[in-house]
Amino acid sequence: MLIPSDHPQRRRITIAEAEAENTPKGQEPERVRKFPQLQKPFGFQNEQWEALKSQMQPGDDLWEFCTDQASWHALAGCAGIELVRGDQVIASIITLIS
């Protein structure tokens, strides 16, 4: 997972890496019983994630992104995953906001 720094960041990521890094961990058993989606990648955003994956075509890339530290201090920071086709962002999921 990228951490805010002085510059915006991007890194290519695979589906397996994205799911491993964005599956909720350490949830209390009672909470998991109440909210079973917490066992899935991206937890409560799993439907959005599955929709993003369904749009993927051969040659597409997934990129993890994180805005710069100044945006986080200004309460305008965000991080997430983008589906990129050529030079166009086709879809994204925001995983963290300030």
Side-chain angles (χ1 to χ4, degrees), residues 78-93:
C78 67
I81 308 288
E82 297 174 326
L83 169 58
V84 178
R85 184 172 300 140
D87 61 353
Q88 299 261 55
V89 174
I90 303 301
S92 63
I93 183 170

Side-chain angles (χ1 to χ4, degrees), residues 42 44-55 92-94:
F42 293 87
F44 291 114
Q45 293 180 297
N46 182 263
E47 286 184 29
Q48 289 175 270
W49 171 244
E50 293 298 327
L52 183 146
K53 287 193 316 183
S54 74
Q55 295 178 60
S92 63
I93 183 170
I94 303 299

Side-chain angles (χ1 to χ4, degrees), residues 17-93:
E17 289 168 331
E19 290 182 344
E21 292 176 15
N22 290 282
T23 299
K25 296 169 183 64
Q27 299 293 318
E28 295 178 17
E30 181 59 33
R31 184 170 164 84
V32 173
R33 275 193 294 281
K34 193 172 185 179
F35 304 108
Q37 62 268 46
L38 291 175
Q39 296 177 335
K40 297 178 180 180
F42 293 87
F44 291 114
Q45 293 180 297
N46 182 263
E47 286 184 29
Q48 289 175 270
W49 171 244
E50 293 298 327
L52 183 146
K53 287 193 316 183
S54 74
Q55 295 178 60
M56 290 189 76
Q57 297 179 3
D60 288 353
D61 291 312
L62 291 176
W63 287 86
E64 183 179 41
F65 69 91
C66 184
T67 58
D68 64 24
Q69 200 166 27
S71 67
W72 289 87
H73 289 298
L75 301 179
C78 67
I81 308 288
E82 297 174 326
L83 169 58
V84 178
R85 184 172 300 140
D87 61 353
Q88 299 261 55
V89 174
I90 303 301
S92 63
I93 183 170

